[in-house]
Amino acid sequence: MLVLRLLNVVAPAYFLCISLVTFVLQIFLFIPSMFRDPSTTPLFSPALLHGALFLFLSANALGNYVLVIQSSPEDLGKGLNLGEGAEVVADWLDGSRSPGSALASTHFCRLCARVTQRHDHHCFFTGNCIGSRNMRNFIMFCLYTSLACLDSLVAGMAYISAALSMSFANPLAFLTLLPHSISQFFSGALLSSEMFVILMLYLWLGIGLACAGFCCHQMLLILRGQTRYQVRKGVVVRARPWRENLQEVFGKRWLLGLLIPVLNVGSDYHRQKEK
């Protein structure tokens, strides 16, 4: 438990550090290097277009990240119909009662010390549980993080290609880039800044693929009307049309949340809160 609590603190700091490094590299290294092309007009230069795209992706990723943290689960069952209230929470704390005995798909997280409706999992990179209140923002966070990593990967490869006068037309060139770069770095033929960018390329690739895969997995569960917690516990859910399952998570005004980071708009949960 101590290791998990430590991971719950270190993982968000790691994510914010990677985000800051990515932003600095994009703004002060990759984008300025694109201004060297004199054949394009300033309005439609690749630097400005790429900069606008990167800022859009970054703003959505960071905005949804903040909303996931702000949309925290209920504190110790407050506002939930848990029958015996504080006694139920006390039972969860000492492990004498299962979460399902109080409310279906409800789970008490020992790391958060909070109760989550439609609990899916605990995300260490946000330090928060993912459930009915922040599922849509979490999916948007994963989506835009993967797109921002892909954008940074492409820009980084373009920078390395120009700096080292190499071509990535052959897919094997990227796979062999790291071992060749390590040998050149220790021989003094490669600058430390260029070596750092090469290491970040593989980090962006790994984070981007992981976020994209996780986002696709979550969408598949949503279409089935399930959560990871229900699948892990073997909970049988009532079959519903996939459109209803999507609307329950994304709401009717889903397009608004796709373009800008906002809370769950038009979802059943918020309609209940307004009543």
Side-chain angles (χ1 to χ4, degrees), residues 61-254:
L62 183 60
N64 283 286
Y65 180 81
V66 173
L67 290 178
V68 170
I69 298 176
Q70 287 184 345
S71 303
S72 299
E74 300 288 348
D75 291 335
L76 298 180
K78 184 193 305 181
L80 295 178
N81 183 18
L82 298 178
E84 299 176 0
E87 295 181 4
V88 173
V89 174
D91 290 340
W92 284 348
L93 286 172
D94 61 22
S96 60
R97 177 177 294 194
S98 63
S101 61
L103 189 65
S105 303
T106 301
H107 176 68
F108 175 77
C109 179
R110 296 178 181 271
L111 294 175
C112 296
R114 291 168 178 168
V115 177
T116 310
Q117 285 184 296
R118 286 191 61 80
H119 176 80
D120 188 86
H121 70 284
H122 181 90
C123 177
F124 288 98
F125 285 98
T126 60
N128 205 358
C129 278
I130 308 301
S132 60
R133 299 189 66 176
N134 51 16
M135 173 59 75
R136 190 189 62 79
N137 294 119
F138 176 75
I139 293 177
M140 291 295 102
F141 160 68
C142 291
L143 173 63
Y144 280 105
T145 299
S146 63
L147 293 177
C149 287
L150 176 62
D151 178 84
S152 301
L153 177 64
V154 173
M157 291 176 63
Y159 173 81
I160 291 298
S161 177
L164 302 182
S165 300
M166 62 178 302
S167 175
F168 288 99
N170 186 0
L172 294 179
F174 183 79
L175 298 178
T176 58
L177 175 63
L178 183 60
H180 290 169
S181 300
I182 293 176
S183 61
Q184 292 180 1
F185 174 75
F186 285 105
S187 63
L190 192 66
L191 299 176
S192 58
S193 59
E194 296 171 346
M195 186 64 200
F196 180 75
V197 171
I198 292 174
L199 293 176
M200 290 299 299
L201 292 180
Y202 290 90
L203 185 61
W204 287 326
L205 177 63
I207 295 177
L209 292 178
C211 289
F214 201 87
C215 183
C216 294
H217 177 66
Q218 290 294 134
M219 286 299 301
L220 180 61
L221 292 177
I222 290 175
L223 291 174
R224 295 176 177 176
Q226 293 178 307
T227 63
R228 292 180 62 188
Y229 177 75
Q230 290 174 336
V231 174
R232 188 171 67 251
K233 294 297 181 179
V235 178
V236 179
V237 297
R238 179 173 59 90
R240 295 188 307 174
W242 61 270
R243 294 179 183 272
E244 294 184 9
N245 295 328
L246 283 178
Q247 183 174 328
E248 182 181 11
V249 175
F250 293 93
K252 293 182 178 179
R253 291 173 285 177
W254 58 270

